[in-house]
Amino acid sequence: MRDHPHDRSPDEDASHPDVWTGRATNRVQWLMALVGAACMALGVELAVDSAWTSGITPLVMSVVGCIAAGLLVLFGTLAFVHVDLKLDKECLEVRCGHIGVPRRRIPLSHVVGADFSPQITPRHWGGWGYRWRPEKGTAVVVRRGEGIVLRLWDGHTFTITVDNAETAVRVIRERLRTSAPGTAH
């Protein structure tokens, strides 16, 4: 709640909230998480009900391998089931998955500009997740579709797939204009 609600017009309040939030979700990642859980279940099944006659070493290697692969796939995919974007007056924060890791916080003072991208695909970035490519910059890609491309003051870019990206770009541009009056972005 604002201390001075009459300082702004209702149009300003509706178009430029104090905190803008956005999200993108990828339900296909849940299928990959199920594959990881199945690998873990196979490892447990091998450990509990094994009839291996070739020795303990192959059995231990199989159990540990299945459980390790299952954990890697399970937690690796759950980290990128969705991405949350929070934009306040000072910074933009990106949090991935249910526990919010990996997370990146970018002060708006480090942002030169923001552009809308109508079509970001995992194929362009080498897959889903937190990605870095020398010629393109860094990205958080959880699904195919619209997103934001931030141009940072150090010459790098940061791309985020998020629903309603056009609105996010408008809010970022407005915040950049109000934070640095008299400068062109």
Side-chain angles (χ1 to χ4, degrees):
M1 183 171 200
R2 292 189 179 90
D3 292 333
H4 305 286
H6 300 291
D7 290 347
R8 293 183 182 182
S9 69
D11 291 338
E12 275 185 294
D13 287 340
S15 63
H16 300 98
D18 288 339
V19 177
W20 187 91
T21 58
R23 182 180 186 123
T25 302
N26 185 344
R27 290 185 175 84
V28 173
Q29 292 289 75
W30 287 107
L31 295 174
M32 291 301 295
L34 287 174
V35 169
C39 285
M40 288 177 45
L42 177 61
V44 170
E45 172 66 22
L46 286 173
V48 172
D49 189 28
S50 66
W52 289 34
T53 57
S54 58
I56 190 78
T57 304
L59 175 62
V60 169
M61 290 174 60
S62 297
V63 168
V64 170
C66 284
I67 291 175
L71 285 171
L72 183 64
V73 170
L74 180 66
F75 290 114
T77 56
L78 287 180
F80 295 101
V81 168
H82 69 264
V83 63
D84 289 316
L85 176 72
K86 182 174 106 176
L87 174 65
D88 61 27
K89 293 185 185 258
E90 292 154 10
C91 75
L92 178 134
E93 185 176 64
V94 179
R95 301 182 90 180
C96 301
H98 294 290
I99 58 175
V101 176
R103 172 183 8 195
R104 181 155 182 198
R105 187 174 189 273
I106 302 171
L108 289 178
S109 61
H110 293 184
V111 177
V112 174
D115 298 310
F116 170 74
S117 180
Q119 188 62 25
I120 298 170
T121 66
R123 186 181 67 185
H124 293 135
W125 286 94
W128 286 309
Y130 200 99
R131 299 294 182 182
W132 175 76
R133 293 190 58 189
E135 72 279 5
K136 294 186 91 161
T138 307
V140 176
V141 180
V142 297
R143 53 113 173 105
R144 178 180 7 186
E146 65 181 317
I148 303 165
V149 180
L150 296 176
R151 290 176 280 117
L152 306 176
W153 64 270
D154 61 2
H156 294 100
T157 62
F158 187 71
T159 304
I160 311 122
T161 55
V162 65
D163 296 334
N164 203 8
E166 284 183 285
T167 302
V169 167
R170 279 195 304 271
V171 172
I172 292 168
R173 287 176 178 170
E174 179 61 30
R175 300 258 164 96
L176 291 175
R177 275 193 293 275
T178 59
S179 68
T183 59
H185 291 286

